[in-house]
Amino acid sequence: AQKVTQAQTEISVVEKEDVTLDCVYETRDTTYYLFWYKQPPSGELVFLIRRNSFDEQNEISGRYSWNFQKSTSSFNFTITASQVVDSAVYFCALSEGFGNEKLTFGTGTRLTIIP
Amino acid sequence: EPEVTQTPSHQVTQMGQEVILRCVPISNHLYFYWYRQILGQKVEFLVSFYNNEISEKSEIFDDQFSVERPDGSNFTLKIRSTKLEDSAMYFCASRHRDSQETQYFGPGTRLLVL
């Protein structure tokens, strides 16, 4: 069975600080996909990134970066120079291999950026 | 940019009433999903739908729930007799055919059962 753990329930940082959100996953499949979604106070789910299990290359998109390490089953998300608009709940999610690829979400990390 | 839409954005209903939540997936997508999120909790998978039939459903998706694609554009979730514990945000998502494709979520319908 697949499982996603986000141990950090809430994080608060002062604006312009860097912050890392942790995600640890469990799966028996060798082919799987990892995702991060952002849920701002308005409630919608905003897709941020998808990573497949064969691509461990880290990715950077502006102030966002992701560190995928299969050896530790982790897919961590770092925001550099945080801004107030980054305040949201962030969900890590996993889908396994081929088929209908339902998403299994973690419990989310509520990030608050203090101005 | 194409997006998933959902109506209504909010719905209040009395316990025992039937509700239908509507979704319009992205037009060239083939896989459709419903998820729910009880307030303050994680997002949970309910059901996936492909080729006009249910592909997979979770334990939550019991006989009180049903899904339908009544025409070429809408995808609906029906709750036959709502319970208090059905109060949640319901998200529709759609995906293109490849397994590498991302699920795109609608804005959600917030359901409150009184």
Side-chain angles (χ1 to χ4, degrees):
Chain A
Q2 55 195 55
K3 184 179 177 183
V4 176
T5 301
Q6 294 180 256
Q8 304 152 306
T9 306
E10 295 191 31
I11 300 176
S12 294
V13 299
V14 177
E15 196 173 17
K16 297 183 184 174
E17 287 185 354
D18 299 348
V19 58
T20 296
L21 310 183
D22 297 333
C23 173
V24 174
Y25 62 92
E26 294 177 31
T27 177
R28 292 178 185 165
D29 275 20
T30 54
T31 301
Y32 53 89
Y33 298 86
L34 295 162
F35 303 81
W36 277 94
Y37 286 86
K38 174 182 180 180
Q39 187 174 43
S42 49
E44 72 271 26
L45 286 167
V46 179
F47 165 74
L48 296 178
I49 190 171
R50 176 190 71 242
R51 215 83 189 119
N52 75 56
S53 52
F54 300 111
D55 183 3
E56 284 194 75
Q57 193 170 9
N58 292 328
E59 183 158 339
I60 298 174
S61 176
R63 297 184 297 106
Y64 295 171
S65 62
W66 291 268
N67 184 342
F68 176 30
Q69 291 197 341
K70 288 178 78 170
S71 60
T72 56
S73 297
S74 65
F75 185 45
N76 297 335
F77 172 30
T78 297
I79 302 173
T80 58
S82 59
Q83 299 176 2
V84 172
V85 293
D86 296 327
S87 295
V89 180
Y90 290 85
F91 290 97
C92 182
L94 167 72
S95 71
E96 287 178 332
F98 304 101
N100 295 302
E101 287 87 28
K102 68 178 180 186
L103 290 173
T104 296
F105 284 82
T107 50
T109 297
R110 180 176 299 278
L111 176 64
T112 302
I113 309 299
I114 304 165
Chain B
E1 187 173 325
E3 57 184 21
V4 178
T5 59
Q6 290 185 243
T7 54
S9 58
H10 295 78
Q11 181 150 1
V12 181
T13 190
Q14 295 290 324
M15 191 170 57
Q17 295 294 304
E18 174 183 288
V19 296
I20 297 177
L21 309 182
R22 302 181 194 281
C23 168
V24 179
I26 295 173
S27 63
N28 62 349
H29 285 190
L30 301 178
Y31 295 87
F32 314 114
Y33 307 82
W34 283 101
Y35 293 82
R36 81 168 185 193
Q37 184 184 30
I38 294 172
L39 187 63
Q41 298 186 22
K42 68 177 179 181
V43 180
E44 301 174 289
F45 168 76
L46 291 178
V47 65
S48 58
F49 191 86
Y50 170 71
N51 200 25
N52 285 319
E53 60 183 25
I54 290 174
S55 312
E56 185 176 357
K57 58 184 181 180
S58 71
E59 294 173 353
I60 303 167
F61 194 89
D62 62 22
D63 292 344
Q64 292 300 312
F65 291 88
S66 62
V67 289
E68 202 175 36
R69 188 154 162 83
D71 52 43
S73 59
N74 289 286
F75 179 50
T76 62
L77 174 69
K78 182 193 292 185
I79 309 175
R80 266 182 267 283
S81 178
T82 49
K83 308 185 195 73
L84 297 176
E85 54 265 37
D86 293 327
S87 295
M89 179 79 97
Y90 289 81
F91 291 103
C92 173
S94 70
R95 179 174 69 82
H96 202 241
R97 67 172 180 276
D98 287 342
S99 60
Q100 297 180 38
E101 293 293 331
T102 298
Q103 290 183 30
Y104 290 94
F105 284 78
T109 293
R110 188 169 295 284
L111 176 66
L112 178 60
V113 182
L114 301 176

